[in-house]
Every structure is written in C-alpha cells, then in structure tokens.
Amino acid sequence: MQNSGIVYFSAEFGLDESLPIYSGGLGILAGDHVKAAADLKIPLTGVGIFYGKGYFQQRIDEGGSQQHLYPEIDLEESVYPVRLVRDDNGRPLIIEVPLNGRQVYAKTWSVQVGSVTLYLLNTDVETNSEADRRLTDTLYPGNQDVRISQEILLGIGGTRLLAALGIHPEVWHMNEGHCAFLSLERIRMLSAEGVPFETALEVVKASTVFTTHTPVPAGHDVFSIDMMDRYFGDYYWQLGADRERVLSLGRMDGAFNMTRLAVSTSSKVNGVSKLHGEVTRELFHRWMPHIPVRDIPVDSVTNGIHTGTWLAAGMKELFDRHLPSDWALRAAEPEVWAAVRDIPDIELWEEHQRAKSKMLQAFGLPLSSEGGGPLIIGFARRFATYKRALLIFSDSERLARILGDPNRPVVLILAGKAHPSDGPGQELIRKIVELSREERFKDRVHIVENYAMDKAKLLVQGVDVWLNTPLKPMEASGTSGQKAALNGVLNCSVLDGWWEEGYNGRNGWAIESAIDGDPELQTKQDTEVLYRLLEEEIIPLFYKRGDRMIPMEWVDRMKESICSLAPVYNTHRMVNDYWHKLYVPTSARGKRFAADNLEVASRVAAYKQFIRNSWSVQVRNVDIHENNSSGNGMTKFSAEIQLGAIWHGDVRVEAVGSDGHRGIWKVILEPVQQQAKGLYVYEGASPNIPINNIWKANANVRVTPISPDFANDFEMELSAWG
Ligand SMILES: *Cc1c(COP(=O)(O)O)cnc(C)c1O
C-alpha cells in the first residue's frame, strides 16, 4: 500500500496556456500550488478534469461581441508531459461512475509537473453514449445536469481513480466545493467494508481540508434536492445512512450546497486572505447563527503566486546578479529580497523598459517606448461584474482628460474573458470596445483579445501600474496584482483581498473603499479616489524625472513593492503555510482517527451521537456583578446549568460578551455545586472586564460540548445560551 501524502482536488488547473483547462484565478492558484509543491518536494498528487475543448478561445468581433471558439486541445502542444494512464495490462485505465441511473466511463490523463503527478479524468471514451462523451468537453457548463455530472465525476470518479491506482492519501485537500462529493464516496467505500456511517464520517472529516474561495452566497454551487435524488437515489443507502442524514451534510435553504457539504466533511476550513477569512466567518455565521462570528472556525492562508512562472526572464537575470545565488529557493525569506534595494536604479528601470517593449511588440501596439514611453495602466482578469471593469470609465470626460494630456500621456490596456453564459460580463466587453473607438480614447484605450496565461505574463511584466477595482469585499484574494508586484509593477487597487494586508503605504496605492451596503455609492466614492490618485499622485510621480530621465521616486516605490511583497505573496510561503497549519496537523489527526481499527473515530462518533440525543441543556439565573470587596474590581459571574444526562466534564461553560468593537471576551465558569442530579451552579470571575450597564447587557452564558478529540471548539455546531 502506497501512502501518498496529500491529494489536491480542483475543478481547474492553470499550469500553462498550452493546457487551457482553467478559467481564471482559481485554476491559476491550483496550478501554482502544484508547481510549488513540486519545488518544495512536498508529496502531493493532483486530481482534476481534462476538458477536451478546454476553456474557450476568445475573439472579439467588430461590434464588441465575444465569440467563443472551442478548438480541440492538442496534447502534443503541452509543455508538460501528458500520458494516458494504463492498467497493468497496458489497456487504458477506465473508471466507472454512476450518473442518473446509468454507468459512465472515464479515462485518465496524467500530467507530470516535476515530482507532482496530476490526474485528469475525461469521459470521451467509446463505451459511453455520444452525450456522455461530451460531458467533460468544457468548464463550468451552464446546464445543471452537465455540471452535477462533472462534479460527480471529479469527486466520486477521482476517489475511485486513486483507489484503482493504489494511492491512499493521508490528507485530502478540497480546493473549492466543486469536488466535495469525494467525501461521500470515501464514506461509501468505508461503509462497504462494514464501517458505520457516523464512524466513517469521522474518519473522512479527520483527514480532510477545505479551502473556500467564494465570498458571496450566490457563488456557491447549489443543486436542488430533486436533482440530488435523481443522481443519488440509488447511492444514499450505500453510505449506510438514510437519505435525510446524507442530505443533511449539505442541506441549506432547501437545496444541497456544495460548500456546506465541504464544511461538514472537513476538520479544517480556510479562506484565501485574512479579510476573506473574516468574510467567510460572517457567511458561515448565517448557517450557524448561535455561534458568534468571531468563533466560527475558519482560518486563512493568503494566496501567493509561483515566482518561477510569473517573473520576467530579464528580471530573473537581474535578480540572479544582485540577490543571493539561492534566492529562488529561499523566495519566502524577506532578507533575500532586501538586496533589491541595492540594485542600481538605472538597471531596474531599464529592465522594466525591456519588459514593457516586449509587451507592446507582442500586442502590436504602436506606442513609443522612448524615455519610458507613456504611463501604461493594465487591467486584466475575468470580466465578472463584481470586478467593475468599467469603474475607471465612470466619468468618461475626466478620464479622457487624464489619458489625453499630450505632455503626460497615459494608456489603458484591458483584457479578459467573460464566461460564455455571463451576459452582463459580455456586455462589459462590448461597452469597453465601444469606448475605445471614441475619438478621445483612440490610441489611449486598448483591449487585448483572448486573455490567458501567456497574455497575463506579458501584461503583469510590462505595464507600469496594475489596476484592480473590485467591489469590496467580493475579491476573495486576487493574485494578478501579486504577479505584477514581483515584476516591479506598482499596484493601484481597492483594499480588498490580499491587498488589504499587502499594502503598506509605500508599495503602491490603495483605494480604501468603505463597505456600507450601497454598492452604487461605494462605486462612486471609489471612482473619485481612483481619479484623485491618478491625477495627484501616480501620474506626477511617473513623470517626475531625474538623472538620465529616470523617475527616481517611482523606482524607489518599485523596490519597496518588490521587497515588501515578493517574499510574502508567493506560493513557497503559501504552500509552507498549508503544510504547517493544515497538512501536518490533519495528517496526524487522520492517522490517529484511523488507528487501531478506527478506535478514535468510533469513539468520537458515539460521543457526538450521545451528546446530540441528550442535548436539552438550559442556562438559568445568570448573575453578573462587580465585587469590590477585595478592592480590585473583580467581575463575578454565576449561572445555574441544567445538563441533564450530560457529564459536566463534557461541556465548557463560559460568559461571553461583546467588547463593543468587533471582538468578544470570554470568561470560563467552573462547577462549584451540584444542586440536584444534572443541575449545577457554575461560577467564574475576571479582573479584566470593565463592567458597566452596556457591557452587562450583552454578556451571556454559553454551554458548548467539548472533547479533546474535536478539531475545534465548535465542532458540533451546538451550544445553549442563557
Ligand atoms: C492570475 C490570473 C488570474 C487571476 O486574476 P485576479 O483577478 O487577480 O484574481 C486570472 N486569469 C489569468 C489568466 C491569470 O493569469
């Protein structure tokens, strides 16, 4: 039996433009994660889908309409070696999955990324019906049946594939909820060996990590219960539980929610930036309203980018000359990058000019690069509406004045695809094409077709300023700005996602953006800040030339940007964080739960069932008062707790209150007296709480079931308040 470290499931992987099986940031992140794992020799295996036609190739016609081309992917073109996975007899390995009452077959491509293997399932095999052969043609189909089929193939098929390959992962990492059916399949496999459902669930949970990327409820993958019944009607019972129990793992607002399923079946959950961690806690709080936002067990690991993929070749040579020789291996160490400050200004500036010229040439843009050329602002990403591509055009007259100054010209380059079924996204493209044709924007606004990794590289290396104006807090992290920063391109961005923690006042520009529930007003304010930054800070700084026409202060900022951001927002740091915060503890936990014939898992399952069945806990007679007898202002708490059949050692009793800002305070209460069977008096005291009537009013006593075997304080999502 091969013990195979970590398995990383993702619906998309962006490794290279020659393998276009990604649509945007999520896929690029997965690709960069895999590459960093290979660099760091982390034992990781990837599982995904090979989309025969990939994400579409974009053409923009005369009228600004996006055309979708689907050329068959040519595997000969892939820069990573791709092979068909075969069984011991040399025949293609075929995986079967049940889909809506029929069997569907899938073959597997393996892609080698250094030491990491990526397995990609694909249903284009002869034994399938014509319709089933097309199931894995494209990414994120609009049709719900095709979509659930792909997710069943990814989760259930992927798990079956690993079993067929003899791979037994210690840690299962779900990158976004699309793959979460894998947990059901793992439970089914255990059930087939005679393991009871609740125990199997504990085994699965203990060894699973979930990374969420979606800051809004609308972004979650949701299937109707009807649809679940159609696809899983003959599957529920195979898990050893009734339909209701299985559905309860994902049931939310009358439907089956893949994010909920992922949360229910993992022991660690993380968002992809600090701010996104908080936003996610607020989102999940709606699902667990009796747990305060602060206590929702969601961690965060901020996204990074793979330095080797995104750094311009010329810039890499410059770093090779000036940084310690092993800088690439030590990319997560700030000391290594400090040497950027000592690079002569002229060398850094000229290297950037080379990247700029290369980009202009590649895009066939007739712009002079004399003396640094015009200030070029880049805006490129998926044309999803929350990213507000049109924000900079809000006051088109003012923008025309900004761009059109003959002494200080400014050029805007935009690029991006809108999902084929995203009408409003495609409308944005049409609008931008229309604007770019206006006389006042001629030669000042350019749109580049078919944004993909190749175009992204040219842009993040070649523009001067990287603009990002999402509607805060909709950007979970964003990564393109990190690619830009690495290359000495300065960010001007809404303080959302990673930039909220990356911006230090000297390494770019920030649009603070106040979230006040009125998106229109927010957009108006953000636009004003953006124009002001351009007019008063960015453009003057860029055109303030010193010796040999070098903008010294600008170059200073470039250095500050590289030094402060490159060591943090890279995938070496990120994968290291995943390793220490998530993979190592989860691997230990998974092993502990599975050891000795699943002893801990069975115990935890039985314990949870007992607590759930016996939970009728009540909190009464809460009393909070100041005790000045000792002279130093102690606050004392007491409460009567009716525990019923539950032992006092199995609960934590605490006073919980708001600190008047966004935090909470807690004081532990201990049992001091048993009044009757199952009825206790609890007391606690704290010197730290400045009690007054307001504070008293929002202090409450909470009882929560605990166990040293729980992954977090709120694992049962259960508590009683009084
Ligand atoms: C990096 C990258 C993204 C992510 O962009 P953000 O808007 O910063 O999240 C999307 N698409 C491509 C092609 C990229 O290279």
Side-chain angles (χ1 to χ4, degrees):
M1 189 159 110
Q2 187 190 350
N3 222 336
S4 325
I6 298 125
V7 65
Y8 182 92
F9 276 70
S10 179
E12 46 174 312
F13 285 93
L15 292 168
D16 187 81
E17 64 273 8
S18 61
L19 209 54
I21 54 169
Y22 61 91
S23 80
L26 179 72
I28 306 287
L29 178 80
D32 280 7
H33 191 114
V34 162
K35 291 174 191 171
D39 292 349
L40 297 168
K41 301 279 180 291
I42 283 185
L44 184 136
T45 303
V47 176
I49 293 179
F50 179 76
Y51 303 95
K53 295 181 174 168
Y55 201 47
F56 69 99
Q57 305 281 313
Q58 180 198 53
R59 294 286 171 276
I60 299 172
D61 71 14
E62 280 298 300
S65 293
Q66 173 175 280
Q67 308 294 320
H68 311 104
L69 309 183
Y70 288 97
E72 205 82 31
I73 296 181
D74 181 359
L75 289 175
E76 300 285 310
E77 296 275 300
S78 168
V79 302
Y80 292 95
V82 182
R83 268 185 301 270
L84 191 63
V85 178
R86 294 175 185 278
D87 64 17
D88 293 341
N89 302 318
R91 283 188 294 261
L93 180 68
I94 297 293
I95 300 302
E96 281 184 55
V97 289
L99 276 184
N100 205 1
R102 60 191 197 277
Q103 290 294 315
V104 172
Y105 305 90
K107 62 186 173 187
T108 304
W109 296 100
S110 77
V111 182
Q112 206 57 43
V113 184
S115 58
V116 171
T117 308
L118 198 59
Y119 293 103
L120 303 172
L121 292 152
N122 178 276
T123 60
D124 190 10
V125 298
E126 283 172 10
T127 34
N128 284 334
S129 69
E130 188 49 35
D132 287 342
R133 292 184 74 161
R134 304 275 71 83
L135 278 179
T136 49
D137 271 1
T138 63
L139 279 87
Y140 304 125
N143 177 309
Q144 281 288 93
D145 276 288
V146 180
R147 202 168 171 114
I148 197 171
S149 299
Q150 286 191 353
E151 297 191 10
I152 289 172
L153 180 72
L154 175 61
I156 296 180
T159 303
R160 291 184 180 182
L161 171 73
L162 293 171
L165 293 170
I167 297 175
H168 300 275
E170 290 172 29
V171 176
W172 298 66
H173 188 167
M174 305 194 273
N175 187 45
E176 191 51 305
H178 311 110
C179 58
F181 288 138
L182 72 85
S183 292
L184 300 187
E185 178 62 6
R186 292 177 63 204
I187 295 174
R188 190 198 62 80
M189 286 178 168
L190 286 161
S191 177
E193 293 170 19
V195 178
F197 175 85
E198 298 296 340
T199 302
L201 174 59
E202 292 307 323
V203 174
V204 168
K205 222 173 136 78
S207 51
T208 306
V209 167
F210 170 48
T211 302
T212 173
H213 294 260
T214 323
V216 283
H220 293 165
D221 241 343
V222 168
F223 299 114
S224 73
I225 298 294
D226 262 6
M227 182 169 249
M228 285 299 291
D229 284 345
R230 266 197 289 128
Y231 282 84
F232 288 88
D234 198 32
Y235 186 88
Y236 298 134
W237 62 268
Q238 298 182 46
L239 274 63
D242 61 23
R243 165 182 176 274
E244 249 336 291
R245 179 66 183 116
V246 178
L247 286 174
S248 74
L249 297 173
R251 204 190 263 281
M252 197 48 58
D253 302 329
F256 193 86
N257 182 308
M258 295 300 282
T259 305
R260 189 70 180 97
L261 173 64
V263 171
S264 302
T265 60
S266 42
S267 55
K268 293 212 179 270
V269 179
N270 73 286
V272 290
S273 68
K274 286 180 188 142
L275 181 62
H276 179 239
E278 283 173 39
V279 171
T280 303
R281 279 192 282 276
E282 274 165 35
L283 199 78
F284 290 1
H285 173 64
R286 282 184 243 158
W287 300 351
M288 315 166 189
H290 49 280
I291 306 179
V293 174
R294 291 284 116 188
D295 279 340
I296 300 279
V298 173
D299 207 336
S300 70
V301 174
T302 304
N303 284 346
I305 48 123
H306 185 250
T307 310
T309 300
W310 297 105
L311 182 61
M315 205 56 94
K316 176 180 177 297
E317 281 166 25
L318 185 68
F319 292 169
D320 283 343
R321 283 200 300 278
H322 292 277
L323 271 54
S325 57
D326 56 352
W327 71 268
L329 285 174
R330 297 167 56 204
E333 297 174 31
E335 308 82 69
V336 167
W337 293 93
V340 165
R341 290 190 208 282
D342 302 326
I343 298 177
D345 289 355
I346 178 105
E347 285 190 43
L348 184 59
W349 181 242
E350 285 186 346
E351 200 50 65
H352 175 62
Q353 300 320 305
R354 279 190 277 276
K356 193 166 172 176
S357 307
K358 190 174 160 204
M359 172 194 71
L360 292 176
Q361 207 171 9
F363 295 152
L365 295 179
L367 297 170
S368 142
S369 48
E370 199 109 341
L375 169 66
I376 300 185
I377 300 172
F379 180 102
R381 47 187 49 86
R382 289 180 302 115
F383 276 114
T385 44
Y386 78 86
K387 290 182 181 266
R388 299 191 300 189
L390 284 178
L391 183 135
I392 192 169
F393 295 97
S394 301
D395 180 345
S396 56
E397 257 173 55
R398 188 159 169 192
L399 180 66
R401 269 201 309 280
I402 292 172
L403 303 186
D405 183 339
N407 298 319
R408 302 191 306 183
V410 179
V411 165
L412 193 53
I413 303 181
L414 301 104
K417 295 175 180 175
H419 188 278
S421 52
D422 178 6
Q426 290 172 42
E427 196 48 47
L428 292 176
I429 299 175
R430 221 168 274 127
K431 190 81 202 158
I432 291 166
V433 167
E434 196 182 300
L435 283 159
S436 70
R437 297 249 168 77
E438 289 182 17
E439 193 51 39
R440 54 189 178 159
F441 290 129
K442 216 163 156 287
D443 296 329
R444 289 288 193 262
V445 176
H446 300 274
I447 184 156
V448 172
E449 270 182 337
N450 204 30
Y451 187 56
M453 286 179 75
D454 50 347
K455 307 278 165 61
K457 281 180 201 171
L458 289 162
L459 284 163
V460 299
Q461 295 164 359
V463 303
D464 298 300
V465 170
W466 193 254
L467 178 69
N468 191 17
T469 51
L471 179 65
K472 189 174 181 173
M474 303 277 277
E475 182 97 309
S477 168
T479 51
S480 56
Q482 302 174 347
K483 303 166 193 168
L486 173 70
N487 285 287
V489 171
L490 296 176
N491 277 275
C492 173
S493 171
V494 166
L495 273 189
D496 197 8
W498 79 282
W499 191 233
E500 158 103 352
E501 60 201 90
Y503 176 65
N504 71 1
R506 304 179 305 278
N507 56 4
W509 293 274
I511 300 166
E512 203 124 346
S513 199
I515 309 169
D516 55 16
D518 180 353
E520 251 169 65
L521 183 65
Q522 207 173 320
T523 299
K524 214 166 153 207
Q525 290 166 344
D526 293 352
T527 309
E528 179 56 35
V529 176
L530 172 61
Y531 288 143
R532 201 192 52 72
L533 282 174
L534 286 170
E535 290 163 347
E536 294 174 16
E537 297 191 31
I538 299 175
I539 298 168
L541 199 72
F542 182 82
Y543 284 106
K544 185 173 167 194
R545 300 305 163 96
D547 219 15
R548 291 194 275 181
M549 289 303 283
I550 301 171
M552 305 293 194
E553 290 172 44
W554 186 277
V555 175
D556 259 359
R557 255 182 210 243
M558 288 170 69
K559 290 182 176 179
E560 176 64 29
S561 170
I562 299 170
C563 291
S564 62
L565 301 171
V568 184
Y569 302 98
N570 66 67
T571 37
H572 282 201
R573 188 275 308 153
M574 179 186 87
V575 170
N576 258 316
D577 281 356
Y578 275 105
W579 179 257
H580 293 291
K581 283 170 96 165
L582 297 133
Y583 295 160
V584 170
T586 305
S587 163
R589 186 176 174 79
K591 281 185 197 154
R592 201 164 67 80
F593 271 54
D596 299 325
N597 210 6
L598 318 183
E599 198 223 308
V600 177
S602 338
R603 187 172 73 220
V604 170
Y607 175 72
K608 284 187 182 173
Q609 278 169 292
F610 168 75
I611 295 281
R612 206 163 268 127
N613 294 336
S614 321
W615 192 260
S616 59
V617 172
Q618 287 181 18
V619 179
R620 288 191 290 241
N621 296 333
V622 174
D623 183 51
I624 305 173
H625 61 268
E626 272 181 291
N627 182 342
N628 271 321
S629 58
S630 51
N632 54 1
M634 293 290 276
T635 306
K636 296 194 101 183
F637 303 87
S638 76
E640 265 176 37
I641 313 284
Q642 177 76 54
L643 288 176
I646 293 170
W647 180 49
H648 62 77
D650 285 340
V651 295
R652 185 184 51 245
V653 177
E654 63 205 323
V656 181
S658 157
D659 67 1
H661 307 286
R662 301 194 67 208
I664 54 179
W665 53 261
K666 300 172 191 175
V667 177
I668 291 285
L669 275 58
E670 304 284 354
V672 292
Q673 190 195 340
Q674 183 168 11
Q675 291 191 319
K677 200 165 178 314
L679 180 65
Y680 298 83
V681 175
Y682 273 73
E683 283 182 6
S686 165
N688 300 325
I689 299 177
I691 191 132
N692 59 40
N693 289 335
I694 297 168
W695 289 61
K696 213 171 184 170
N698 68 24
N700 289 288
V701 170
R702 167 174 70 183
V703 185
T704 314
I706 54 167
S707 158
D709 292 321
F710 285 175
N712 60 65
D713 282 354
F714 302 92
E715 169 142 353
M716 289 195 66
E717 299 177 15
L718 193 64
S719 44
W721 289 88

